[in-house]
Amino acid sequence: MIKSYQRSSKLFNKGPSLLSKLLLLIFISIVLMGADYRFHYLKNIRQVTNIFTKPFHTLLNLPSDIYNFTTEYFSNQSRLIDENEALKLNIDRLHADLQRLDFIDQENNQLKNLLEVKNAYKFKTEAVSIIYSRFDPFNQKIIIDGGQNKDFQAGQPVINALGLVGQISSVFPETSEVTLIVDKKMSVPIQIQRNGLRAITNGNGQNETISLSHLPNSIDVIIGDVLKTSGIDTIYPEGIAVAEVLEINNNPNLPFAKIICKPTSAIRNHTHVLVVTPINKIANNVAPIKNDQKK
């Protein structure tokens, strides 16, 4: 009986093959997808299931979100550090450019003032740059860019836009040495602008001042008087500002007053000066008049 039952069960369970079932399921799936695409009857079901599956989606995406956040955070930090360094370099570069522009602006102002001086005075001048200043307490001198190559000669006055600077003392092939008016060896005939009084200045050497020598205590000089070249020596042209009276000491026990003056040329603050051509040299360079021109 048992064998007959097993034999009948095999006959009863015999049905379609697995391939047929797979094809049937594929067909049903395609039909359902087509119907859903056409009639949207599964839309509500998907929305409901999406509510329940969203936490799982968030949990599954959490590692990648953490990775992206961390990468972006450090990337932004690195980018900000690079930008900060670049901005600091730009600021330093702008500061350097600003200082250079200030220097150029100051130099342009000095050259503009020199040009005005050159056009204002009747004598001939030539602009040169100051190569360097000697800070020797016993020799107040500067070196200028120009010497025998520009036909400079010892004794030529040197001025700037503010006044008298000094006098050329030595000439070399391409440079010249200028002894400043504050040097102890320098003396300049001057005339006080206020009252026309004439005197001679002497350099004091170390303290960037000059003094008026051999003037009695009763002399008519007041603080603030402006001293200008008198032109009596035929070396310095007349009317160039030299100094301003800074201090007057009248000691009755001494025969002469001690008058301290401050040079107006601000020698250490300029980069260019004018070398004055002597008047006798200009006269010698004038071409002689030809006989036919006289006629």
Side-chain angles (χ1 to χ4, degrees):
M1 291 297 290
I2 295 173
K3 291 182 180 180
S4 61
Y5 173 76
Q6 292 177 345
R7 191 177 298 146
S8 63
S9 177
K10 290 180 180 178
L11 291 174
F12 181 76
N13 291 332
K14 187 176 181 181
S17 64
L18 292 176
L19 180 60
S20 300
K21 294 178 181 178
L22 177 62
L23 292 176
L24 178 61
L25 290 175
I26 293 173
F27 175 74
I28 294 172
S29 299
I30 293 172
V31 171
L32 290 175
M33 286 188 292
D36 179 56
Y37 178 77
R38 180 68 178 84
F39 302 105
H40 305 287
Y41 63 89
L42 294 178
K43 181 178 179 181
N44 295 330
I45 298 174
R46 284 200 303 273
Q47 291 180 352
V48 172
T49 56
N50 186 38
I51 295 173
F52 294 101
T53 57
K54 185 176 181 181
F56 296 100
H57 292 165
T58 304
L59 184 62
L60 292 174
N61 292 330
L62 184 60
S64 62
D65 292 342
I66 294 174
Y67 174 77
N68 293 332
F69 174 77
T70 306
T71 304
E72 185 178 2
Y73 176 78
F74 285 107
S75 176
N76 290 336
Q77 286 289 102
S78 178
R79 182 172 54 82
L80 288 175
I81 291 173
D82 294 339
E83 289 180 356
N84 192 19
E85 293 295 330
L87 289 174
K88 287 181 179 178
L89 291 176
N90 286 334
I91 290 173
D92 293 340
R93 191 179 298 112
L94 289 175
H95 283 167
D97 291 342
L98 184 61
Q99 292 178 357
R100 186 172 59 84
L101 289 176
D102 289 340
F103 176 78
I104 292 174
D105 184 58
Q106 182 180 1
E107 191 174 15
N108 286 337
N109 289 332
Q110 291 181 8
L111 292 175
K112 182 180 178 182
N113 293 332
L114 284 179
L115 183 61
E116 292 177 354
V117 171
K118 190 173 183 177
N119 295 330
Y121 289 112
K122 296 179 181 179
F123 44 80
K124 184 180 178 182
T125 59
E126 182 164 353
V128 295
S129 60
I130 299 175
I131 299 177
Y132 65 91
S133 299
R134 289 181 178 175
F135 291 96
D136 185 349
F138 302 102
N139 294 290
Q140 302 292 329
K141 297 179 180 180
I142 59 174
I143 304 300
I144 60 175
D145 183 20
Q148 296 173 358
N149 58 341
K150 294 186 178 180
D151 203 19
F152 290 165
Q153 296 178 2
Q156 284 187 253
V158 178
I159 64 175
N160 62 15
L162 300 178
L164 183 65
V165 173
Q167 187 180 30
I168 292 179
S169 52
S170 298
V171 180
F172 305 101
E174 295 183 352
T175 61
S176 296
E177 183 184 71
V178 178
T179 301
L180 305 179
I181 59 174
V182 294
D183 190 276
K184 286 186 175 180
K185 299 177 182 176
M186 280 291 293
S187 297
V188 179
I190 59 92
Q191 188 172 19
I192 297 178
Q193 185 179 17
R194 180 177 57 85
N195 55 13
L197 179 67
R198 291 181 176 178
I200 295 177
T201 66
N202 293 308
N204 289 330
Q206 298 182 5
N207 53 4
E208 300 285 337
T209 59
I210 60 177
S211 60
L212 290 177
S213 57
H214 308 300
L215 293 178
N217 290 323
S218 59
I219 194 71
D220 182 18
V221 178
I222 60 175
I223 294 176
D225 271 343
V226 177
L227 313 182
K228 291 190 173 182
T229 53
S230 62
I232 195 172
D233 56 350
T234 65
I235 296 176
Y236 302 102
E238 182 181 1
I240 299 175
V242 177
E244 182 178 337
V245 176
L246 186 66
E247 181 182 350
I248 302 174
N249 293 324
N250 291 322
N251 188 347
N253 298 324
L254 297 176
F256 302 111
K258 185 178 181 181
I259 302 175
I260 306 300
C261 306
K262 181 180 180 181
T264 59
S265 55
I267 302 166
R268 308 293 183 187
N269 300 332
H270 287 73
T271 57
H272 293 78
V273 293
L274 293 173
V275 177
V276 180
T277 301
I279 298 175
N280 55 356
K281 185 178 178 181
I282 296 176
N284 293 334
N285 290 337
V286 175
I289 300 174
K290 296 181 179 179
N291 295 330
D292 53 353
Q293 291 179 344
K294 290 181 179 179
K295 298 177 182 179

